[in-house]
């Protein structure tokens, strides 16, 4: 069985396009060749992504982010996409959104923006066409860290421009506590959630501190996911508030949410560099995360893939079997060996994210 489509719920494509000039129309191998000896592989690793690799891996839909770090957490002197205040964050996100707009307008045979169920359907039909082995990849726009929303009334403009998922945090924001910056929802955070609910926007809990995530689960009536986050229970000793507690996982399940498992070695096996290196991290660790969520949830309906590939790491920091995103399909036999049925496996690969999109996107024309 290798036909089910794959959906990846987290890739910082625009950030890479604007920071390093990565051209994702090319294959990962071609991009690596182009970048040899340059800054990109030094600071972000060798790329794992590219359109031909999406084709090989049957990656039909990618949740594509708007992402910039606050200046206090600047990734390096080379990081030109950080922001000092929300005006600047607004500009960064806006330019990244333009980049997706250009990519999809200029290369519709390769990339399509998905803002409605009709768009989703069109992309899926492309993948069902057995006569062609060239299928457009659908991009769902996800704002990672909401600092670029200058005031809640602006949600409407972002929505009109195609944003369908918003995460309130990366580091902490004025809306809530985030990674390495704990804290709950602020009054601004509650106000933003209230406006987001009017548009039925999906709330992404990834990066939110546990307190903020639980408060959001209590107060947000709209759809809720964690696009890229792993279970803390398997990462004891990581000392990070970036991972999901059992409480948050259970609450997400109760809300019919889905969790995308990250395929970065430090999210799979803390301390991996000193204990066997890359060779010591296999896809079994990734599948263990998937399985943990399924066991806790009681079914296979609440977990998917949120690779975060190229999000601060490349081939040097992913499980040994992975050369490009196409290799994520290698989890299929591992899941099967663990007793997962074909239906479960296709749900985990993409079906659960697909159901989420079908349940939450506006109808469209
Ligand atoms: Zn992230």
């Amino acid at each position: 069985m290798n036909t089910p489509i794959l959906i990846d719920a987290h890739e910082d494509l625009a950030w890479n396009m604007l920071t390093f000039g990565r051209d994702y129309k090319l294959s990962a191998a071609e991009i690596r060749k182009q970048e040899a000896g340059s800054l990109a592989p030094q600071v972000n690793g060798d790329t794992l992504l590219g359109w031909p690799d999406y084709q090989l891996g049957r990656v039909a839909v990618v949740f594509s982010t708007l992402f910039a770090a606050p200046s206090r957490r600047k990734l390096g002197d080379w990081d030109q996409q950080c922001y000092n205040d929300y005006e600047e964050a607004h500009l960064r996100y806006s330019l990244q959104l333009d980049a997706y707009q250009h990519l999809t307008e200029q290369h519709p045979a390769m990339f399509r923006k998905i803002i409605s169920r009709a768009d989703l359907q069109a992309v899926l039909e492309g993948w069902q066409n057995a006569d062609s082995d060239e299928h457009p990849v659908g991009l769902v726009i996800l704002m990672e860290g909401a600092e670029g929303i200058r005031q809640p009334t602006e949600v409407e403009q972002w929505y009109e421009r195609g944003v369908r998922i918003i995460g309130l945090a990366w580091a902490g924001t004025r809306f809530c506590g985030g990674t390495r910056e704990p804290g709950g929802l602020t009054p601004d955070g509650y106000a933003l959630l209230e406006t987001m609910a009017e548009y039925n926007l999906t709330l992404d809990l990834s990066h939110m501190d546990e307190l903020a995530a639980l408060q959001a689960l209590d107060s947000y009536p709209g759809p809720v996911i964690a696009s890229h986050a792993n279970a803390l229970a398997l990462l004891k000793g990581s000392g990070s508030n970036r991972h999901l507690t059992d409480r948050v996982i259970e609450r997400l399940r109760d809300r019919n949410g889905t969790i995308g498992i990250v395929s970065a070695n430090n999210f799979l096996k803390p301390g991996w560099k000193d204990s066997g290196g890359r060779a010591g991290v296999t896809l079994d660790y990734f599948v263990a995360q998937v399985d943990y969520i399924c066991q806790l949830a009681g079914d296979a309906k609440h977990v998917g893939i949120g690779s975060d590939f190229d999000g601060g790491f490349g081939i040097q920091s992913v499980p040994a079997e992975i050369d490009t995103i196409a290799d994520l399909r290698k989890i299929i036999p591992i899941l099967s060996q663990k007793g997962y049925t074909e239906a479960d496996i296709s749900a985990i690969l993409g079906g659960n994210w697909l159901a989420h999109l079908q349940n939450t996107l506006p109808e469209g024309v």
Side-chain angles (χ1 to χ4, degrees):
M1 182 194 75
N2 54 15
T3 46
I5 57 157
L6 192 151
I7 295 182
D8 188 357
H10 204 94
E11 294 179 11
D12 298 329
L13 298 181
W15 182 85
N16 278 280
M17 286 155 62
L18 296 185
T19 302
F20 306 118
R22 280 187 169 165
D23 178 359
Y24 286 119
K25 300 190 297 298
L26 305 177
S27 70
E30 287 168 313
I31 296 173
R32 287 175 200 163
K33 211 178 292 172
Q34 254 183 12
E35 288 182 349
S38 77
L39 178 74
Q42 281 173 47
V43 297
N44 201 32
D46 281 304
T47 186
L48 294 154
L49 306 171
W51 187 81
D53 306 293
Y54 292 139
Q55 301 300 306
L56 273 175
R58 292 184 61 77
V59 182
V61 179
V62 172
F63 296 8
S64 308
T65 70
L66 311 179
F67 167 74
S71 291
R72 65 178 186 280
R73 297 272 293 273
K74 198 176 165 116
L75 305 173
D77 289 340
W78 50 270
D79 182 6
Q80 296 303 309
Q81 288 194 72
C82 45
Y83 59 83
N84 287 297
D85 52 33
Y86 57 72
E87 285 295 341
E88 210 172 348
H90 181 273
L91 175 68
R92 299 284 165 233
Y93 294 172
S94 202
L95 293 173
Q96 292 187 9
L97 200 47
D98 288 347
Y100 290 128
Q101 193 65 31
H102 291 150
L103 180 68
T104 52
E105 271 173 14
Q106 287 166 10
H107 305 280
M110 301 176 95
F111 294 101
R112 303 266 178 92
K113 215 157 100 175
I114 294 181
I115 62 172
S116 67
R117 286 208 299 275
D119 295 337
L120 176 64
Q121 197 47 39
V123 165
L124 294 176
E125 277 165 15
W127 285 87
Q128 282 151 8
N129 179 2
D131 297 335
S132 165
D133 45 26
E134 298 204 345
H135 315 288
V137 176
L139 307 183
V140 178
I141 310 299
L142 185 168
M143 185 188 285
E144 179 173 25
E147 207 70 278
I149 302 174
R150 293 173 294 189
Q151 52 208 358
T153 50
E154 208 175 81
V155 167
E156 180 180 10
Q157 291 161 36
W158 288 108
Y159 183 84
E160 291 303 325
R161 292 181 70 188
V163 173
R164 290 293 176 265
I165 305 168
I166 297 177
L168 299 197
W170 180 70
T173 58
R174 66 191 196 283
F175 303 112
C176 69
T179 301
R180 291 197 266 144
E181 298 178 355
L185 281 175
T186 64
D188 280 351
Y190 280 107
L192 180 59
L193 288 181
E194 214 174 293
T195 312
M196 280 171 58
E198 289 170 30
Y199 296 89
N200 199 40
L201 277 151
T202 291
L203 170 66
D204 184 357
L205 298 182
S206 313
H207 288 283
M208 284 171 75
D209 187 52
E210 185 192 24
L211 176 60
L214 292 172
Q215 288 171 333
L217 283 157
D218 284 338
S219 59
Y220 190 62
V224 187
I225 64 167
S227 68
H228 63 313
N230 292 6
L232 177 65
L234 298 183
L235 303 168
K236 290 263 162 58
S238 72
S240 170
N241 71 339
R242 173 68 177 84
H243 310 301
L244 300 176
T245 61
D246 287 357
R247 249 193 316 190
V248 171
I249 295 168
E250 284 168 341
R251 295 284 309 278
L252 267 165
R253 171 208 52 202
D254 295 345
R255 294 286 298 277
N256 200 24
T258 295
I259 296 161
I261 300 301
V262 178
S263 187
N265 288 353
N266 58 344
F267 276 55
L268 298 172
K269 186 184 173 193
W272 64 280
K273 282 187 183 159
D274 300 322
S275 63
R278 184 175 183 232
V281 193
T282 60
L283 279 172
D284 292 324
Y285 285 86
F286 184 89
V287 169
Q289 280 284 344
V290 170
D291 187 53
Y292 184 84
I293 307 282
C294 293
Q295 300 303 334
L296 194 60
D299 59 40
K301 296 193 174 105
H302 302 281
V303 69
I305 291 167
S307 78
D308 207 9
F309 280 171
D310 287 10
F313 60 95
I315 189 175
Q316 292 82 356
S317 308
V318 297
E321 305 96 317
I322 293 185
D323 179 51
T324 75
I325 187 152
D327 297 308
L328 278 177
R329 300 192 77 82
K330 292 177 180 167
I331 66 173
I332 295 175
I334 308 176
L335 285 165
S336 172
Q337 223 163 26
K338 271 192 180 302
Y340 283 82
T341 65
E342 282 197 15
D344 289 338
I345 293 171
S346 119
I348 292 163
L349 245 64
N352 291 332
W353 286 127
L354 191 57
H356 173 82
L357 294 173
Q358 278 160 341
N359 288 333
T360 58
L361 287 174
E363 190 168 1
V365 283

